[in-house]
Amino acid sequence: MTRYKTLRDFPVEEYLSPGSTMCAGCGAMLVLRAFHKVLGPNVVFVNAAGCLTLLQVYPYTPNKSSWMYTAFASAPAGAQGIRDALDILMEKGRVNSFEDLKVVVVTGDGAAYDIGLQSTSGAIERGLDFYYLVYDNEAYGNTGFQKSGATPYGSATATTPPTERNPTGYTGVKKDLFEIWRSHKPPYIATVAPSHMVDMLRKIETASQFKGPKLFIAFSSCPTGWGFDPSLSVRISRLAVECGIWPLKESVYGKVRHTYIPTVLKPVEEYLRHQNRFRHLFTPRKQETAIASIQEQVNNYWLEAAKNEGFRITVAKPVTIAPP
Ligand code: SF4
């Protein structure tokens, strides 16, 4: 049984004060707020360098909980130290179970997909009892939006700008972090998005039942880096899910289940068009081949998932390319 059936079940307690230093419309803040509401006040966040590091600039903090800042690669090691210290203090009777803290790593995609992947892998392998939350804005957001391992095909970043020789922007593929983690066989992994809040609350609640690594990859719409109006942040997130670009799923001990299945996928163009980072795909001329390639990747993903899980889905037609 879940406590979260509709948005009316969104917990009213607030553990993050308003008026932070984050950009207006930052999707990562919506995710962090929801996590804090479900996990409650007895939380210690262990933060790898990234955008959310700027939330806590001494002597100010919007959190009604604890926050420890680490270097890019070290957050899982920091989490291990805190967990071990709490366990030892509890064993000695110096901390009781009401004072115990949930240990939550909070990191951007730069640390999660690239710089901190090794220490995360080690923590999962050791079975560390922690939450690991990636706010994925698909680039190094707080240093000027350089490409990360999470950057998707076709995105312009500071280090992959569209040029005359390469008009598509980034031409590599986004790493599949969900599958990298799944190969470690942790108890729980999920993807979440701020537009699908009830799905997210339920997943955090489900994860709480498991001891061991509990991993979340959160779609984090980024008005500053992606180039859209902050008021559209939740709409962009919804389009990502409805176009099938951001599948909502979970894995319990390795068994994958999609938690939201858009029965008819919207064309990816509807998602891409709203963001300046993909503007070069539409102007000065439409890059039909690049857009068709993105659509094909999404379609293939969902057709495979439908076959594995036995659901029906209607994929969007790839863009028709006129013969030369
Ligand atoms: S750069 Fe993007 S992810 Fe970073 S705080 Fe601003 S909106 Fe959020």
Side-chain angles (χ1 to χ4, degrees), residues 22-23 26 51 137 222-224:
M22 295 296 98
C23 310
C26 175
C51 281
N137 73 340
C222 172
T224 309

Side-chain angles (χ1 to χ4, degrees), residues 79 83 102-103 123 126-131 210-214:
R83 186 64 265 159
K102 299 179 181 79
V103 181
R126 292 191 301 275
L128 175 62
D129 185 22
F130 76 139
Y131 297 78
F210 298 105
K211 196 170 161 65
K214 299 167 274 282

Side-chain angles (χ1 to χ4, degrees), residues 21-29 51-52 135 137 141-142 145 220-226:
T21 48
M22 295 296 98
C23 310
C26 175
M29 283 298 286
C51 281
L52 290 190
Y135 55 96
N137 73 340
N142 73 331
F145 209 68
S220 297
S221 29
C222 172
T224 309
W226 299 2

Side-chain angles (χ1 to χ4, degrees), residues 8-25:
R8 278 197 293 269
D9 300 322
F10 198 61
V12 290
E13 298 84 4
E14 288 291 352
Y15 302 108
L16 272 179
S17 323
S20 79
T21 48
M22 295 296 98
C23 310

